[in-house]
């Protein structure tokens, strides 16, 4: 159920997203936006006629090494005649210490931290068993000889697992990069299973940790809910139930801040369908007036082809409690619902959605930079969220795919 009546604002944002994405193709951007490739191309060409084109344009490497050095010991200086036996003993001790010194010098580069320490000691013993006795190597490195031989027996199986982990890490990196670096092990696992690769989440999580592949985390919050004391009372029809059996029945909305450089903000209002968590409407502005949430609800009406008979749930922000917004809901035949004042749990699903958005677009940065970059970044994420991003509430299917399968199942039952 794609939106048919695209606003000028949506078209401008789509063109800006295409122009600012390195290596972008009409096909890839259109898939993210959920629009036809030819439609996007037409928008870009129209914009090109008016202005012109401007494409845009990197990573890191790591290394580390440490060394330790043993201290040589000195020999005795006493009466030779009476201490020949002692001298022989000390010479043997000297040879022993010299051997230890040589072993420790060679072993230094194998030492690592944590769980790798035991494995690297065994590896060192194996690599130097032709130079030194295994017994002496194990004594110096303080490892059990029987444990070394047990480690040796499992070497082939261990090497096979390591090769398999490296191959899996390559696949994980591809999925991780495709998600914009946002996916953690649950969504990566779902994506791999979609390609018929049999793998469990525990193994994916282990390999991601071993190869330093991770999702993104979020931090601070700004208060965007300011209740209007004069607003009329609206009942809570959700009672913290953010699920729905059909699309288009229950919607929820909220406002979040988008930090810019210099301490300024843009504000984002969204409307989500409780059935699939699809974002069916949104609006970005530099204010939090009623027009912000009204524009988001109007976009939702265009996306769904109408909101007749549906319920819209929000917090007690003054924008949602205003007379203008109430009149718009009446006009669109939408029943309003509101949670308790000052209770974020009564609109938890929207809070979670906005947290994911900022976690995956800010990527631990303090702000988006300028307003144009902010708007383009958020627009790109919102459209990709619907068409491609896997959602845990949908069994790790994207909102669009989840709704498509639901409609297909209904048609099958009706046939």
């Amino acid at each position: 159920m794609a939106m048919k009546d695209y606003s000028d604002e949506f078209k401008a944002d789509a063109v800006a997203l295409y122009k600012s994405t390195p290596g972008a193709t009409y096909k890839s951007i259109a898939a993210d936006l959920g629009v036809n490739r030819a439609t996007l191309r037409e928008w870009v060409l129209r914009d090109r006629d008016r202005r012109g084109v401007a494409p845009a344009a990197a990573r890191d490497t790591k290394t580390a090494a440490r060394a330790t050095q043993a201290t040589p010991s000195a020999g005795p200086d006493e009466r030779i005649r009476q201490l020949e036996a002692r001298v022989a003993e000390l010479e043997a001790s000297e040879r022993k210490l010299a051997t230890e010194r040589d072993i420790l010098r060679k072993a230094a580069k194998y030492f690592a931290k944590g769980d790798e320490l035991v494995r690297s000691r065994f590896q060192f013993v194996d690599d130097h068993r032709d130079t030194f006795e295994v017994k002496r190597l194990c004594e110096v490195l303080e490892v059990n000889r029987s444990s070394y031989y047990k480690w040796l027996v499992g070497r082939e199986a261990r090497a096979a697992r390591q090769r398999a982990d490296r191959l899996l890490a390559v696949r994980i990196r591809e999925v991780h990069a495709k998600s914009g670096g946002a996916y953690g092990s649950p969504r990566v696992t779902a994506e791999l299973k979609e390609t018929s690769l049999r793998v469990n989440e525990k193994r994916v999580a282990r390999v991601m940790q071993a190869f330093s592949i991770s999702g993104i985390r979020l931090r601070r919050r700004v208060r965007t809910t300011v209740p209007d004391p004069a607003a009329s009372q609206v009942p809570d029809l959700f009672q913290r139930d953010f699920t729905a059996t059909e699309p288009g029945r229950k919607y929820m909305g909220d406002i979040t801040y988008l930090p810019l450089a210099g301490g300024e903000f843009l504000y984002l209002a969204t409307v989500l369908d409780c059935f699939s968590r699809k974002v069916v409407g949104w609006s970005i502005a530099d204010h939090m007036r009623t027009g912000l949430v009204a524009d988001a609800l109007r976009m939702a009406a265009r996306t769904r082809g109408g909101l007749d008979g549906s319920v819209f749930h929000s917090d007690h922000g003054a924008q949602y409690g205003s007379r203008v917004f109430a009149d718009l809901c009446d006009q669109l035949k939408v029943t309003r619902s509101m949670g308790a004042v000052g209770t974020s749990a009564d609109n938890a699903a929207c809070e979670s959605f906005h947290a994911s958005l900022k976690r995956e677009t800010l990527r631990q940065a303090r702000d988006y930079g300028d307003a144009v970059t902010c708007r383009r970044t958020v627009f790109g994420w919102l459209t990709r969220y619907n068409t491609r991003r896997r959602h845990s509430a949908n069994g790790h299917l994207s909102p669009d795919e989840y709704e498509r399968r639901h409609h297909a199942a209904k048609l099958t039952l009706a046939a």
Side-chain angles (χ1 to χ4, degrees):
M1 291 197 179
M3 178 168 45
K4 303 292 187 232
D5 179 19
Y6 298 101
S7 66
D8 292 339
E9 182 182 43
F10 185 96
K11 294 175 185 177
D13 285 337
V15 171
L17 179 65
Y18 171 80
K19 290 164 63 177
S20 64
T21 304
T25 63
Y26 291 122
K27 182 178 178 181
S28 64
I29 298 298
D32 278 346
L33 298 175
V35 303
N36 186 278
R37 175 187 175 279
T39 302
L40 175 62
R41 182 174 181 275
E42 182 183 347
W43 294 344
V44 173
L45 291 178
R46 281 183 192 167
D47 181 76
R48 193 174 292 172
D49 288 341
R50 287 196 305 269
R51 303 178 197 176
V53 245
R59 244 195 195 257
D60 55 333
T61 58
K62 304 174 187 176
T63 97
R66 290 202 113 167
T68 57
Q69 192 170 0
T71 309
S73 66
D77 184 18
E78 305 210 19
R79 289 174 295 174
I80 296 176
R81 199 175 174 91
Q82 298 173 341
L83 299 176
E84 286 182 352
R86 178 64 177 154
V87 168
E89 181 183 333
L90 289 173
E91 286 175 347
S93 176
E94 177 73 17
R95 287 193 298 272
K96 182 178 178 181
L97 287 173
T99 302
E100 284 186 9
R101 181 184 60 216
D102 292 342
I103 291 173
L104 289 172
R105 280 177 173 170
K106 292 179 184 292
K109 61 183 176 182
Y110 279 78
F111 291 157
K113 294 181 179 180
D115 296 336
E116 292 295 306
L117 181 58
V118 174
R119 191 197 69 170
S120 58
R121 286 181 178 183
F122 287 154
Q123 187 63 57
F124 177 83
V125 171
D126 194 54
D127 288 347
H128 294 82
R129 59 187 299 178
D130 294 335
T131 307
F132 306 101
E133 283 185 325
V134 169
K135 178 181 178 182
R136 191 77 192 105
L137 286 164
C138 290
E139 286 176 354
V140 172
L141 297 180
E142 298 180 347
V143 296
N144 191 294
R145 242 192 312 170
S146 62
S147 297
Y148 161 69
Y149 287 118
K150 184 178 178 181
W151 175 89
L152 201 59
V153 169
R155 180 165 55 181
E156 288 187 15
R158 188 167 54 254
R161 282 197 303 271
Q162 289 169 352
R163 284 194 299 272
D165 283 353
R166 284 194 294 271
L167 292 174
L168 178 59
V170 172
R171 300 284 297 276
I172 290 173
R173 286 191 192 282
E174 291 174 357
V175 172
H176 190 254
K178 192 176 175 183
S179 74
Y183 281 5
S185 58
R187 289 188 176 89
V188 169
T189 305
E191 190 79 30
L192 292 173
K193 286 181 177 178
E194 194 81 7
T195 63
S196 302
L197 181 65
R198 297 184 63 182
V199 64
N200 63 52
E201 188 186 331
K202 285 185 178 179
R203 185 182 174 205
V204 171
R206 176 178 60 78
V207 172
M208 288 181 72
Q209 183 178 25
F211 287 84
S212 302
I213 308 170
S214 60
I216 321 161
R217 296 188 178 111
L218 183 67
R219 16 180 199 212
R220 60 181 195 210
R221 300 180 47 171
V222 166
R223 188 184 183 204
T224 54
T225 303
V226 182
D228 182 356
S232 59
Q233 292 296 311
V234 176
D236 183 356
L237 303 178
F238 271 36
Q239 296 297 318
R240 300 187 183 181
D241 178 9
F242 302 108
T243 62
T245 56
E246 291 285 335
R249 299 275 181 84
K250 293 167 65 177
Y251 297 98
M252 50 190 170
D254 199 5
I255 303 173
T256 192
Y257 73 99
L258 304 172
L260 305 179
E264 297 182 343
F265 296 95
L266 288 182
Y267 299 93
L268 168 69
T270 51
V271 178
L272 306 182
D273 191 310
C274 293
F275 174 73
S276 62
R277 303 299 168 86
K278 177 172 182 171
V279 52
V280 293
W282 71 81
S283 179
I284 302 174
D286 59 0
H287 63 80
M288 286 198 298
R289 296 189 292 274
T290 302
L292 178 70
V293 297
D295 286 345
L297 193 64
R298 289 190 189 99
M299 180 180 174
R302 291 198 305 273
T303 302
R304 288 306 198 194
L307 303 176
D308 299 26
S310 63
V311 177
F312 176 78
H313 183 82
S314 69
D315 57 29
H316 273 266
Q319 304 87 346
Y320 294 110
S322 69
R323 184 70 261 166
V324 173
F325 189 75
D327 290 343
L328 177 61
C329 288
D330 290 342
Q331 177 189 332
L332 297 173
K333 298 180 181 178
V334 173
T335 302
R336 290 191 299 157
S337 168
M338 284 187 176
V341 176
T343 307
S344 61
D346 286 350
N347 207 17
C350 273
E351 299 265 356
S352 175
F353 170 80
H354 288 151
S356 295
L357 182 153
K358 284 190 275 190
R359 179 173 62 248
E360 296 177 17
T361 53
L362 278 173
R363 304 185 185 191
Q364 296 187 341
R366 291 186 176 276
D367 57 66
Y368 292 95
D370 59 83
V372 173
T373 302
C374 173
R375 185 183 188 87
R376 186 172 59 233
T377 302
V378 173
F379 173 79
W381 188 91
L382 289 171
T383 52
R384 192 173 64 249
Y385 168 89
N386 283 338
T387 57
R388 296 193 178 187
R389 186 184 181 279
R390 295 180 180 275
H391 202 299
S392 56
N394 298 340
H396 291 297
L397 296 175
S398 70
D400 279 356
E401 179 63 15
Y402 188 68
E403 290 192 3
R404 188 194 68 76
R405 294 194 186 188
H406 174 75
H407 291 308
K410 284 185 67 177
L411 289 174
T412 302
L413 287 173

